[in-house]
Amino acid sequence: MEGTSLYLLIVILLMQCSPSVPVTVATNRHKVEVREFSDAVLSCTFHTEKDQNPRIEWKKKGKDVSFVYYDGHFRAPFEGRATIEGATVTLQRVTQDDAGEYRCEISAPLDTVSLGETNVTLKVLVPPHTPSCEIPSAAVTGSVVQLRCRDQQSIPPATYSWFKDDQPISQPRHANATYLINSHTGVLEFRAVAKDDTGLYSCLASNGVGPPKKCEGKHMTIEDVNVSAVVAAVVVVCLVIVCGCGGFLLHRNGFFSRHRGRSNVNYIPPPQEPQDFKHTQSFML
């Protein structure tokens, strides 16, 4: 009996001496990824030491910290489209404006440690939109030509593939290929286009979130250089330069000035009376 009593006494003393567990806060998912316009669950669980009615708050970090849930109510812009169960919050029909870092805070004034918190990051995924495509309508053989494709709204960023006449253009397999495709920037570059590159081109954007989207196809024509037209243009330019330089030199050497002076060669000024003759006349009078 004495042994049993001693054992019970030791157990009671250990229970009284063992420290109580303060408030603890946790989440089962620190990173949440959902598609745009779907619901996002931000989990938050807690355990308190003594306080049975702790204060629950949710905040969103940004340039400034803003309240999501405070004093038992959701704040704008979450009011009317969010629910809470325990400390877990569900945001309905999320958009890109809802993406960011959230913090769940539990305040238990009666506990030894009165505040606990955990963070949850929300990423809103956006499916591809129809990309914008820049495709020249014409180019000359041997020139460098770039075709561009871009979707600036998809999250994560889209990757791009190109089509010619509705057939996929494969990635070049050797270094001396006549074209290059950057699947991340959406640029298809021809190092030196040939007439065989004439065709209908289109681009497909995809990111694994929703169905891929393709831009409307545009026709690109590759034409040979018109040698006769180039030669004629060069001749005309040379004639213009020669005539301009010749005229400038003639003007500089006074050719045009001498010709203007010849019109006054036959001009004879009227004779003037001598001054002495005028004085003689006045004396005789």
Side-chain angles (χ1 to χ4, degrees):
M1 292 294 293
E2 292 181 359
T4 303
S5 300
L6 181 60
Y7 175 75
L8 292 174
L9 180 62
I10 292 173
V11 171
I12 293 172
L13 290 174
L14 289 174
M15 290 178 62
Q16 291 179 347
C17 295
S18 60
S20 300
V21 179
V23 59
T24 57
V25 184
T27 180
N28 58 16
R29 292 182 66 187
H30 284 284
K31 294 183 179 181
V32 177
E33 293 185 357
V34 295
R35 287 186 57 175
E36 190 178 29
F37 304 124
S38 62
D39 296 346
V41 178
L42 312 181
S43 73
C44 180
T45 58
F46 63 91
H47 176 78
T48 58
E49 176 187 358
K50 299 176 182 178
D51 202 329
Q52 299 301 313
N53 190 27
R55 185 177 66 195
I56 302 172
E57 295 179 359
W58 275 92
K59 300 176 182 178
K60 185 184 179 191
K61 298 180 181 180
K63 293 182 179 179
D64 299 314
V65 177
S66 58
F67 280 104
V68 176
Y69 182 81
Y70 176 76
D71 197 21
H73 300 282
F74 284 99
R75 306 293 178 175
F78 303 97
E79 186 178 8
R81 65 179 187 93
T83 59
I84 190 168
E85 184 177 349
T88 296
V89 166
T90 300
L91 305 179
Q92 301 167 352
R93 292 187 59 78
V94 294
T95 65
Q96 271 304 300
D97 293 334
D98 299 324
E101 187 175 352
Y102 293 79
R103 184 170 68 227
C104 174
E105 295 182 357
I106 306 297
S107 300
L110 301 180
D111 286 14
T112 305
V113 179
S114 60
L115 179 65
E117 62 182 41
T118 188
N119 295 321
V120 179
T121 301
L122 173 62
K123 184 177 182 180
V124 179
L125 306 178
V126 180
H129 290 64
T130 301
S132 60
C133 295
E134 299 178 9
I135 303 170
S137 58
V140 296
T141 55
S143 61
V144 177
V145 177
Q146 286 188 344
L147 283 65
R148 298 180 179 274
C149 179
R150 193 67 177 167
D151 171 19
Q152 297 182 342
Q153 297 178 313
S154 60
I155 299 177
T159 55
Y160 306 94
S161 54
W162 281 92
F163 292 77
K164 177 188 175 186
D165 298 328
D166 293 328
Q167 298 298 318
I169 303 176
S170 60
Q171 284 282 356
R173 298 182 179 180
H174 45 85
N176 58 348
T178 59
Y179 66 92
L180 298 172
I181 298 177
N182 191 321
S183 60
H184 299 288
T185 62
V187 175
L188 167 60
E189 179 177 335
F190 291 94
R191 295 176 174 177
V193 289
K195 296 197 70 174
D196 291 341
D197 295 321
T198 295
L200 184 71
Y201 288 85
S202 58
C203 171
L204 184 73
S206 57
N207 69 348
V209 177
K213 293 294 182 68
K214 181 187 287 189
C215 70
E216 183 179 357
K218 297 181 181 179
H219 195 271
M220 182 176 70
T221 303
I222 309 301
E223 300 173 342
D224 288 327
V225 178
N226 192 331
V227 178
S228 299
V230 172
V231 172
V234 171
V235 170
V236 170
V237 171
C238 291
L239 288 174
V240 171
I241 294 174
V242 169
C243 292
C245 292
F248 173 75
L249 292 174
L250 290 174
H251 177 74
R252 184 177 180 182
N253 293 327
F255 177 80
F256 297 108
S257 299
R258 289 196 299 270
H259 279 271
R260 283 199 301 269
R262 290 178 182 177
S263 61
N264 298 327
V265 170
N266 298 324
Y267 173 74
I268 302 175
Q272 296 183 359
E273 294 182 6
Q275 294 294 329
D276 296 340
F277 182 74
K278 289 182 179 180
H279 288 291
T280 304
Q281 286 184 334
S282 59
F283 176 77
M284 292 176 64
L285 292 175

